Amino acid sequence: MKKIYYMLIGFLLLGGASACQEEEVMAPGSAAPLATSRTLYAIPSYSLDWENIDYMPWPNNDAPRVPWEVTTSYIPFDIRFDYKKEDGWELLYSTFSSNRIENDLYFILYNKYRGVMRLYYLSDPGLQESSYMVSTLRKEGPAAGNSPLLNFSDQEVVDFNVKSPFASRTEEAQFSGRAWYAFEYEVPYDPSIASGNYSNFSMNWRINSVNISKLEINGRGALEGKVPSVSSPGINLSLSSNFTNKSNSGVQITGPTVVENGGSGGGSGSWFTDAIKAGLSKALTNGVSGIATNILSGIFTKKKDNTANIATMKLKATMTYTGTVQSSSGLDNFALPLPGYGDSRYQNTYNKIPGIFYISGRPTVQQKILHYAKKTEWGGGYDLNGSYYTNTYSNPSNFQLIYNPEILKIASIQNVRYEMILLNSGEITSGQIETIGDKMYAVGLIAGYKSDQEPSTEGFVGLRVSFKVVPNDGSPAVLLVKTFKCNINTTTEIIPYQ
């Protein structure tokens, strides 16, 4: 029996949307290096014509079928048949060969229009079944600490000043032997990859079986039914034998069926609140038409043959889950170089820097607090009885979006939009009201509210950036949505009234 390396890659699927007319709004104007261990070396990659085969390359008659044509597949139905070159997929690596059976059986595709890597993994026949699994992608090497490679996958609201060292999450699929799985991570554009090499910057994946004894989302138990992927910003679940995690972010929703059909049958929608269902449904409907609403992060697109919409959204929710990591079957690490700097041991079909875009720095936004109060009759002061405040955010500056030159060769960037996201703490005075998770927000190029309480900066979430990637070859457009943390410049003024 071949040796098992429990290594996996996961890459957040984020898709795009079909074309529509929108106003274009243009913007004005670290972690320490990680320790590296080189006890393992990546297996050479073989060529693979994944689109035009029924069985994977294999040295005998026991060849496994391709992952989208087999019943023993735990790949979500919404992405199972999304693998074609015409929809942007390119081959990165493959360990399947007609001459030998490698220890780890996987192949990796990259979607050049979405900035998403997807690992197709075939588990070992002797693998012991478990409840769920944890997949963790980690940067490794002396140059890794300065790279934002995992910021999109790990962070719900992306902070330019923080470089996530890993992205870890509990996956929705259960673990069993000789079955196919798919894991995705979205990656930002990092130009420093071009000057890297395998020795100073690589990717490291780990997978564990995990038994989850408790999982609640917004106070509702979610073990009876389809459990979504639950990300854990800042927590490496693959290293803790026992963990209890409490978070208010990170539920990943992939595909439209969980939104459209989730309210019945004990699936994910059975523990969604009505507000979350409504918000996700609107996000899906608007997202596939090219408009970002009701989300902080997401990707929307259609397949070129219009047979399906592809969507991934991060849901802001309150989660509590407790589990035990089981590694008795043989936990191990698996390392690969990054596409973009090349490696002589790899025959990569696609060997260019991945990612669609990143941001040049933390944006700066202006918070203006106006305090309306009566002057006292004797002068020199204000009567706070009946006073009120307006709190407004506007004018993002001191940043720019940096696009990967590779995407600009094959597509155009259209309908760039910048929107403030502000927790609604009063009467909305600027922006549109959106439901994100189970809370109401003011969203717009200018966002603000009126209140009788003195505002702070705690309710400001960030600057939402959205745009469409429109391929030159006529493939469906992709809508990308990301929210970034901001520096806040606050001014306060008292406005007297009689």
Side-chain angles (χ1 to χ4, degrees):
M1 181 180 298
K2 62 187 180 65
K3 180 182 177 182
I4 305 298
Y5 288 112
Y6 272 24
M7 307 312 310
L8 277 165
I9 305 176
F11 287 95
L12 267 175
L13 168 66
L14 289 124
S18 58
C20 71
Q21 296 297 318
E22 302 166 26
E23 178 186 3
E24 181 168 345
V25 183
M26 301 303 295
S30 148
L34 298 175
T36 178
S37 60
R38 288 286 170 231
T39 58
L40 296 176
Y41 291 89
I43 300 171
S45 180
Y46 303 104
S47 62
L48 179 68
D49 185 15
W50 77 93
E51 276 193 299
N52 300 307
I53 56 176
D54 295 322
Y55 292 86
M56 302 301 295
W58 206 255
N60 56 46
N61 295 328
D62 191 31
R65 291 184 65 88
V66 291
W68 37 87
E69 297 293 343
V70 64
T71 56
T72 53
S73 175
Y74 289 89
I75 300 173
F77 184 81
D78 297 303
I79 66 172
R80 183 175 301 184
F81 301 101
D82 171 41
Y83 59 86
K84 294 184 178 180
K85 291 181 180 179
E86 65 179 10
D87 293 313
W89 293 103
E90 301 278 358
L91 178 67
L92 290 184
Y93 311 114
S94 174
T95 63
F96 288 91
S97 169
S98 299
N99 299 320
R100 57 176 293 176
I101 300 175
E102 298 289 357
N103 287 328
D104 301 277
L105 296 173
Y106 65 88
F107 65 97
I108 305 171
L109 301 182
Y110 170 70
N111 194 294
K112 58 190 177 184
Y113 299 134
R114 307 177 203 168
V116 170
M117 293 183 183
R118 182 187 295 168
L119 170 76
Y120 292 89
Y121 175 82
L122 183 63
S123 62
D124 184 80
L127 186 66
Q128 184 178 1
E129 293 189 4
S130 64
S131 294
Y132 296 97
M133 54 187 153
V134 169
S135 64
T136 301
L137 173 63
R138 189 181 68 184
K139 301 179 300 183
E140 187 168 275
N146 293 323
S147 173
L149 184 72
L150 299 179
N151 282 15
F152 283 2
S153 296
D154 178 54
Q155 302 177 30
E156 180 186 58
V157 179
V158 179
D159 189 346
F160 178 86
N161 295 338
V162 175
K163 307 298 190 297
S164 294
F166 53 80
S168 186
R169 67 171 180 250
T170 304
E171 303 290 351
E172 67 182 53
Q174 293 186 331
F175 230 171
S176 63
R178 195 60 180 268
W180 280 105
Y181 300 87
F183 306 92
E184 296 181 329
Y185 284 98
E186 182 194 14
V187 294
Y189 169 58
D190 177 10
S192 70
I193 291 175
S195 59
N197 56 61
Y198 178 68
S199 297
N200 65 20
F201 189 10
S202 66
M203 300 178 287
N204 181 289
W205 293 277
R206 172 173 292 184
I207 188 169
N208 301 74
S209 59
V210 57
N211 285 326
I212 301 175
S213 57
K214 178 182 180 181
L215 174 56
E216 291 184 351
I217 300 179
N218 288 333
R220 300 189 182 188
L223 288 176
E224 296 181 1
K226 184 180 180 183
V227 178
S229 296
V230 178
S231 61
S232 304
I235 299 176
N236 189 340
L237 295 173
S238 67
L239 298 181
S240 301
S241 58
N242 295 280
F243 60 85
T244 297
N245 184 40
K246 294 182 179 181
S247 175
N248 63 353
S249 64
V251 179
Q252 179 187 341
I253 305 299
T254 301
T257 57
V258 70
V259 178
E260 296 173 346
N261 304 322
S264 60
S268 298
S270 63
W271 40 260
F272 284 169
T273 65
D274 291 339
I276 291 175
K277 290 179 185 177
L280 286 176
S281 295
K282 190 168 185 179
L284 174 66
T285 301
N286 290 344
V288 296
S289 66
I291 305 173
T293 62
N294 298 79
I295 56 170
L296 300 178
S297 176
I299 303 177
F300 304 84
T301 190
K302 292 181 179 179
K303 294 180 66 175
K304 193 168 185 178
D305 60 8
N306 290 320
T307 56
N309 296 324
I310 307 299
T312 296
M313 298 166 279
K314 280 188 178 180
L315 169 64
K316 190 174 183 65
T318 300
M319 300 178 298
T320 301
Y321 59 109
T322 302
T324 302
V325 175
Q326 297 179 327
S327 58
S328 58
S329 298
L331 174 67
D332 214 331
N333 292 327
F334 187 74
L336 281 175
L338 286 158
Y341 58 66
D343 191 297
S344 60
R345 293 169 295 173
Y346 285 79
Q347 301 296 323
N348 304 327
T349 301
Y350 189 89
N351 193 20
K352 301 172 183 178
I353 298 176
I356 305 300
F357 83 109
Y358 200 51
I359 201 165
S360 63
R362 257 195 179 195
T364 297
V365 300
Q366 305 300 317
Q367 179 194 30
K368 189 170 185 178
I369 300 174
L370 298 181
H371 184 188
Y372 293 85
K374 291 182 179 181
K375 281 189 174 182
T376 58
E377 294 181 358
W378 52 88
Y382 294 90
D383 180 4
L384 299 183
N385 185 30
S387 69
Y388 64 93
Y389 301 82
T390 60
N391 181 29
T392 305
Y393 289 85
S394 63
N395 300 322
S397 61
N398 300 332
F399 78 99
Q400 62 181 357
L401 301 185
I402 302 175
Y403 301 106
N404 188 340
E406 298 301 331
I407 194 63
L408 298 179
K409 295 175 183 177
I410 59 175
S412 62
I413 305 299
Q414 299 181 14
N415 295 24
V416 181
R417 298 177 65 89
Y418 298 93
E419 297 168 298
M420 313 288 171
I421 299 183
L422 174 63
L423 184 64
N424 179 18
S425 298
E427 176 188 346
I428 294 292
T429 56
S430 300
Q432 303 295 319
I433 297 177
E434 292 186 14
T435 301
I436 302 176
D438 58 353
K439 291 183 173 58
M440 306 295 290
Y441 296 82
V443 180
L445 185 60
I446 300 175
Y449 62 83
K450 173 183 174 181
S451 173
D452 58 359
Q453 299 294 323
E454 183 175 1
S456 69
T457 60
E458 294 181 0
F460 182 71
V461 177
L463 179 67
R464 185 169 69 189
V465 175
S466 63
F467 59 84
K468 291 195 294 186
V469 177
V470 183
N472 297 337
D473 64 1
S475 297
V478 176
L479 176 67
L480 297 181
V481 186
K482 276 285 174 287
T483 300
F484 295 90
K485 288 188 176 180
C486 301
N487 296 322
I488 301 173
N489 183 20
T490 302
T491 58
T492 302
E493 181 179 355
I494 298 179
I495 307 297
Y497 68 94
Q498 299 300 322

